[in-house]
Amino acid sequence: MEYILLLILLIIYAVSNLLSLFGKRVGASALQIFGSLIHLAVLIIRSVNANHPPFTNMYETLLLLSFLLQVKFLIFQRVKSELIANIQRAIVFLMIVVLALLSPESRAISPVMPALNSFWMYIHVPSYLFAYVSLFSASSMAMIHIFSKKSIYNYDRQMDIDVSLTFVFLAIGMFTGAIWGQLSWGNFWSWDPKETWALINILVLSLYFYKVDRKTQSWIVLITALTVLFTYFGVTYLLSGLHSYS
């Protein structure tokens, strides 16, 4: 049932993208909202079947991340740019394509380790995922600010909203992670690479609020995005390399 709904969702998002390309904005938006409801149903089914929230493996993380991306643009998007809406629809569609193409083994339900199965994890992980979604939106605004030759002051408010959401949810993720670590391992902070780079992320982004020049703020957003990517992928790669040599 879950995979069938995923395929239906793929079709809905594909049609929404086609309608948006042909300028049928109302139909594209309506299908986007309807698809979000199907998307939510897939998440609920997954959670019920797995007996835990859907973010314990790559399949579940992409499923939740793509849904949060939809929520972000449907609720918190203030600049009604058709270009940005089309980019967002395309990204969500591609994420669902990847999910549909994953092998059955990759979509298999993974049990949660007892040490990880904590109430605080269920706040910590979604908070970081929503922060990443908001940062992606802010990054798109930042790139427009940097590379556009025209006046784009109408995007200023949206970038401020996105950066504020990113900062708040990064902070929530960090503090709940500290509480989680204290309760599960008896240590709220251990200076391991992931924790250190998570701190670097929020410190770099905090510089945004001390600058009034939009170009500088835009570069700060993009640098923060790079530090987040390194935190999520680079640190993991480096740690796996160290373990292979040890």
Side-chain angles (χ1 to χ4, degrees):
M1 181 62 179
E2 177 187 328
Y3 190 67
I4 293 174
L5 282 178
L6 187 66
L7 294 178
I8 294 173
L9 182 62
L10 180 64
I11 295 171
I12 292 172
Y13 284 158
V15 176
S16 176
N17 274 271
L18 287 174
L19 289 177
S20 66
L21 289 177
F22 287 102
K24 307 294 184 181
R25 299 180 181 180
V26 176
S29 298
L31 278 179
Q32 188 177 14
I33 295 172
F34 179 64
S36 299
L37 297 176
I38 302 295
H39 207 148
L40 178 61
V42 176
L43 283 169
I44 292 174
I45 291 173
R46 179 70 176 195
S47 300
V48 171
N49 291 337
N51 290 319
H52 59 69
F55 43 70
T56 61
N57 55 32
M58 185 57 68
Y59 168 80
E60 294 175 354
T61 300
L62 281 177
L63 187 63
L64 179 58
L65 192 61
S66 56
F67 176 74
L68 291 175
L69 186 59
Q70 287 285 51
V71 171
K72 163 66 183 64
F73 275 85
L74 288 173
I75 297 178
F76 295 103
Q77 192 70 17
R78 295 293 179 264
V79 177
K80 303 301 181 182
S81 168
E82 196 60 26
L83 173 62
I84 294 175
N86 288 341
I87 292 173
Q88 181 263 329
R89 291 189 188 104
I91 290 173
V92 172
F93 171 69
L94 290 175
M95 293 174 77
I96 300 301
V97 169
V98 171
L99 290 173
L101 293 177
L102 286 176
S103 65
E105 292 78 15
S106 301
R107 300 194 306 271
I109 294 174
S110 304
V112 180
M113 294 175 55
L116 299 179
N117 193 6
S118 167
F119 165 79
W120 294 104
M121 180 186 74
Y122 303 144
I123 302 175
H124 172 78
V125 177
S127 295
Y128 267 114
L129 290 179
F130 193 78
Y132 297 156
V133 166
S134 299
L135 182 61
F136 161 77
S137 179
S139 298
S140 64
M141 300 292 116
M143 292 180 69
I144 292 173
H145 269 289
I146 290 172
F147 297 109
S148 177
K149 297 180 180 180
K150 300 184 297 183
S151 175
I152 48 173
Y153 292 110
N154 57 320
Y155 289 104
D156 288 354
R157 175 60 177 160
Q158 184 62 55
M159 189 163 73
D160 288 341
I161 292 173
D162 292 338
V163 171
S164 298
L165 287 171
T166 303
F167 189 84
V168 167
F169 281 94
L170 283 178
I172 292 173
M174 179 175 294
F175 284 118
T176 53
I179 296 171
W180 177 23
Q182 179 66 37
L183 294 176
S184 298
W185 296 283
N187 189 358
F188 72 91
W189 192 266
S190 57
W191 292 104
D192 68 46
K194 282 279 189 181
E195 290 178 348
T196 303
W197 275 93
L199 179 60
I200 291 173
N201 295 339
I202 198 167
L203 289 178
V204 172
L205 187 61
S206 67
L207 297 176
Y208 180 94
F209 303 103
Y210 293 94
K211 295 292 182 180
V212 294
D213 174 56
R214 286 295 174 181
K215 292 285 186 180
T216 304
Q217 287 180 316
S218 298
W219 280 113
I220 290 171
V221 170
L222 294 181
I223 293 171
T224 303
L226 291 177
T227 64
V228 166
L229 288 174
F230 183 79
T231 303
Y232 201 78
F233 297 105
V235 173
T236 302
Y237 176 77
L238 290 175
L239 288 177
S240 63
L242 290 174
H243 287 314
S244 65
Y245 285 106
S246 61

